Amino acid sequence: MQRKNQTLGEFIIENQKDFPYASGELSRLINSIRLAAKMVNHEVNKAGLVDITGAVGETNIQGEDQQKLDVLANETFINTLTNREIVCGIASEENDEFITIKGQKNDHRNSYVVLMDPLDGSSNIDVNVSVGTIFSIYRRVTPAGTPVTLEDFLQPGNLQVAAGYIIYGTSTMLVYTTGNGVNGFTLNPALGTYYLSHPNMKFPEDGHIYSVNEGNYIHFPQGIKDYIKYCQEEKEDRPYTSRYIGSLVSDIHRNMIKGGVYLYPSTSKSPNGKLRLLYECNPMAFITEQAGGKASDGYRRILDIKPTNLHERTPFVCGSKNMVEKVESFME
Ligand code: AHG
Ligand code: MN
Ligand code: MN
């Protein structure tokens, strides 16, 4: 059941029974994410005020400069998720290795693993542009009572039990799915409460927006170059509009509302593109499919890829169904 103006807390309780393992654990997990998101939101919002922006000087495993807020968001989510009897392991874009959580009784009994990009698009912070958090949740595959292993994290996206993102934009929203459609909640900062503002979100089947870093055009595969030219052609409803924030969460959020396609293709420099399968593409693909859209690497469904390493990357095409299919037809 959904009512507009329902709070996220009410929504979680009322929809708990729709979840296949109705133990209440997943609800508590989503609850802790909503709490961590409030804390990160608070930090992101005051980023312009305090001397907190700029690179820490460390480099993460991807070879990128780490921003202070990346570190802070990472710690906030890890701490919030650790202090509950739910999560047995966390993998984060900011950590080289996964983290094992023993649980309060040290018995490794917890059932869920969380994979996350605690702050995506963080280079946008310095210039006051939207950033996001992306999370992906699985049930462990190894037996409860034993420490988590890499196998628990390297599951194909089609086994996700929940996924979502938080967008720290003009308003802060939490959008998530547990496999029964996608719902969006907007934070009322005065009350610290999220309200159901976007029930049952759906990608329009078609759209007029394409989102890609065209600066890399020269390095794109021929199929992507041809698709971009197709978007720019003067025909029927074309040329399309180009919109690229450079913040995956914001670009996909906009396209889900207005209709569009996001592309981060392979380039001659990075044959697997830039985005990480486990922290960025799988959760966004799950949400996209739950909203009636499609997500592909240009040839195959993102959610069917069997990961082989925690930080692996994949080309990513995601958005309105007909637009993604069009891209795939150009890639053939
Ligand atoms: P990061 O995880 O390092 O913050 O990367 C952001 C991602 C994604 O949000 C965005 O769409 C893309 O990188 C932008 O990359 P380009 O600057 O290469 O276009
Ligand atoms: Mn990222
Ligand atoms: Mn990040």
Side-chain angles (χ1 to χ4, degrees):
M1 202 192 56
Q2 296 163 344
R3 281 178 280 111
K4 250 199 161 170
N5 294 329
Q6 195 175 19
T7 67
L8 175 57
E10 290 167 344
F11 181 92
I12 289 173
I13 293 167
E14 288 175 26
N15 291 279
Q16 193 163 300
K17 60 179 183 334
D18 292 339
F19 183 66
Y21 315 88
S23 62
E25 281 179 308
L26 187 78
S27 302
R28 280 165 46 227
L29 181 45
I30 304 280
N31 242 320
S32 54
I33 288 173
R34 112 181 133 154
L35 175 65
K38 266 191 237 181
M39 300 195 256
V40 172
N41 178 59
H42 181 69
E43 296 303 327
V44 168
N45 273 316
K46 66 180 193 198
L49 293 172
V50 289
D51 182 29
I52 200 164
T53 52
V56 182
E58 293 168 26
T59 310
N60 68 12
I61 192 175
Q62 326 282 350
E64 300 149 329
D65 279 344
Q66 236 177 18
Q67 307 283 316
K68 280 183 190 169
L69 273 174
D70 289 23
V71 179
L72 206 90
N74 195 36
E75 283 170 4
T76 305
F77 275 95
I78 291 171
N79 291 340
T80 313
L81 292 168
T82 302
N83 297 324
R84 304 271 189 301
E85 289 292 87
I86 312 161
V87 178
C88 55
I90 299 173
S92 162
E93 191 193 88
E94 300 297 336
N95 296 101
D96 299 358
E97 313 282 344
F98 65 82
I99 297 167
T100 303
I101 298 169
K102 294 180 185 163
Q104 275 159 21
K105 296 188 200 89
N106 280 333
D107 58 2
H108 299 282
R109 286 264 150 219
N110 301 345
S111 319
Y112 292 93
V113 294
V114 178
L115 296 95
M116 62 176 180
D117 182 351
L119 208 62
D120 179 68
S122 47
S123 62
N124 278 324
I125 284 176
D126 291 353
V127 291
N128 208 349
V129 173
S130 301
V131 290
T133 294
I134 310 171
F135 62 90
S136 166
I137 301 172
Y138 296 82
R139 280 183 78 85
R140 65 184 301 172
V141 289
T142 54
T146 60
V148 274
T149 69
L150 193 55
E151 201 192 335
D152 294 307
F153 296 93
L154 298 184
Q155 302 187 49
N158 57 34
L159 293 176
Q160 287 172 101
V161 294
Y165 60 78
I166 296 113
I167 174 166
Y168 311 99
T170 43
S171 43
T172 296
M173 281 187 71
L174 191 155
V175 174
Y176 79 100
T177 181
T178 52
N180 289 299
V182 180
N183 291 286
F185 299 82
T186 302
L187 179 67
N188 177 336
L191 303 177
T193 308
Y194 298 88
Y195 291 95
L196 179 60
S197 52
H198 295 63
N200 200 16
M201 295 177 81
K202 288 285 174 213
F203 262 95
E205 271 213 333
D206 241 307
H208 293 101
I209 299 174
Y210 70 104
S211 311
V212 63
N213 185 343
E214 275 182 76
N216 294 329
Y217 184 88
I218 194 79
H219 301 295
F220 287 156
Q222 194 55 43
I224 298 293
K225 286 181 177 165
D226 293 342
Y227 178 72
I228 293 175
K229 285 293 159 225
Y230 165 89
C231 294
Q232 297 170 344
E233 248 167 36
E234 176 103 43
K235 284 262 168 68
E236 296 139 32
D237 58 346
R238 285 172 278 145
Y240 293 157
T241 295
S242 161
R243 288 282 181 275
Y244 189 70
I245 299 169
S247 186
L248 177 69
V249 170
S250 318
D251 279 310
I252 292 202
H253 184 75
R254 179 203 52 244
N255 290 354
M256 176 151 63
I257 292 171
K258 297 199 164 178
V261 64
Y262 174 95
L263 306 105
Y264 210 110
S266 58
T267 65
S268 36
K269 273 185 283 172
S270 7
N272 294 318
K274 175 185 182 190
L275 301 180
R276 294 80 172 171
L277 175 62
L278 297 178
Y279 313 117
E280 295 167 321
C281 302
N282 270 338
M284 292 318 250
F286 187 26
I287 295 163
T288 297
E289 287 196 3
Q290 283 293 317
K294 252 188 120 162
S296 149
D297 69 353
Y299 305 97
R300 9 166 226 178
R301 184 182 181 223
I302 288 290
L303 294 181
D304 289 338
I305 300 174
K306 174 81 184 93
T308 54
N309 116 41
L310 270 185
H311 295 281
E312 84 183 60
R313 298 169 194 259
T314 176
F316 194 48
V317 180
C318 177
S320 292
K321 183 171 165 289
N322 294 344
M323 295 183 88
V324 174
E325 284 172 2
K326 194 75 190 175
V327 178
E328 286 178 329
S329 75
F330 275 95
M331 293 303 289
E332 268 169 16

